[in-house]
Amino acid sequence: MAYKKELNIGMIGYGFMARTHSNAYRRVGNFFDVPYKPVLKSVCGLVESEAQSFADRWGYESCTTDWRRIVERKDIDLVEICVPNNYHAEIAIAAA
């Protein structure tokens, strides 16, 4: 299938849910005919070395320790929030 557009993803968090969602983005074309190609653009985490390790393992192009940098990027189409629930509101409001 030829993709019509890339879907650039910014992942906030690098725990279990971030791993499962990253895997899903990488494999979605094996299960469904989708018009978008997921592109893992950037991941954010509290510890820079851990965020870089996650980026390297899953194929993200970059990493940061400040979630605001992902939300502010014009090349990010989708912000995935994979942090504890009590942090969701501030990030989601900023992303919207």
Side-chain angles (χ1 to χ4, degrees):
M1 166 176 208
Y3 294 109
K4 296 179 183 177
K5 182 180 187 286
E6 292 183 340
L7 181 66
N8 297 320
I9 298 163
M11 179 70 67
I12 301 176
Y14 52 75
F16 176 77
M17 289 312 296
R19 290 191 304 271
T20 59
H21 289 200
S22 296
N23 184 55
Y25 287 127
R26 290 173 60 181
R27 305 289 306 217
V28 67
N30 296 112
F31 292 92
F32 304 102
D33 291 328
V34 292
Y36 297 97
K37 176 184 179 187
V39 178
L40 305 178
K41 293 301 268 188
S42 190
V43 63
C44 174
L46 294 175
V47 179
E48 185 174 6
S49 62
E50 293 177 11
Q52 185 63 58
S53 178
F54 184 93
D56 293 342
R57 178 176 187 150
W58 291 100
Y60 284 84
E61 296 176 7
S62 66
C63 71
T64 182
T65 57
D66 184 354
W67 62 264
R68 291 168 189 84
R69 294 188 68 194
I70 289 180
V71 169
E72 293 168 355
R73 285 179 56 166
K74 300 299 181 205
D75 64 332
I76 300 287
D77 300 312
L78 183 148
V79 175
E80 175 90 40
I81 304 171
C82 289
V83 296
N85 292 345
N86 56 317
Y87 296 106
H88 281 215
E90 182 180 9
I91 298 168
I93 291 166

